[in-house]
Amino acid sequence: QVRLVESGGGLVQAGGSLRLSCAVSGSTFSRYTMGWFRQAPGKEREFVAATAWGDSSTAYADSVKGRFTISRDNAKNTVYLQMNSLKPEDAAVYYCAAGWIVPASTMINSRTYNYWGQGTQVTVSS
């Protein structure tokens, strides 16, 4: 069974940084496209960033481009989300997701992911 465990969330001041981690166990990590999504109170879950299996190509939501960086370490079965210049509107529960051989063309779509983590809270104070 595939299990995703996020960590690294917390409280940070606006302009600060956090790094989220998502450790994956139970399957061949390198064949999974990995994504980060977030959900703020009263809002729908939205795409943040993703990195494709194979070539590790990346995609970002416009709202985080230039501030967030997604990366993966296939040797450690872990995907990261480095978040810089955080804004109050970045506050949300951040979820890690894994999609088995999901092509880069669809990796921004949450419906293509098979497995989800439990989420980690990010709070940004102004």
Side-chain angles (χ1 to χ4, degrees), residues 33 50-53 55-59 101-109:
T33 286
T51 177
W53 78 280
D55 64 2
S56 299
S57 57
T58 59
I101 318 182
V102 168
S105 59
T106 63
M107 64 183 179
I108 68 171
N109 187 342

Side-chain angles (χ1 to χ4, degrees), residues 42-126:
K43 296 187 177 182
E44 293 188 354
R45 188 173 299 187
E46 64 175 359
F47 169 76
V48 176
T51 177
W53 78 280
D55 64 2
S56 299
S57 57
T58 59
Y60 296 92
D62 289 343
S63 59
V64 306
K65 278 182 183 176
R67 300 188 298 122
F68 290 12
T69 302
I70 188 171
S71 61
R72 64 190 298 157
D73 186 335
N74 288 342
K76 295 183 177 180
N77 289 5
T78 301
V79 63
Y80 305 97
L81 184 68
Q82 178 66 44
M83 305 186 295
N84 298 330
S85 302
L86 282 160
K87 304 175 181 179
E89 52 263 42
D90 294 317
V93 177
Y94 282 70
Y95 296 91
C96 173
W100 179 253
I101 318 182
V102 168
S105 59
T106 63
M107 64 183 179
I108 68 171
N109 187 342
S110 63
R111 297 177 185 178
T112 63
Y113 290 85
N114 310 103
Y115 303 100
W116 293 81
Q118 81 288 350
T120 186
Q121 178 72 50
V122 172
T123 304
V124 184
S125 63
S126 57

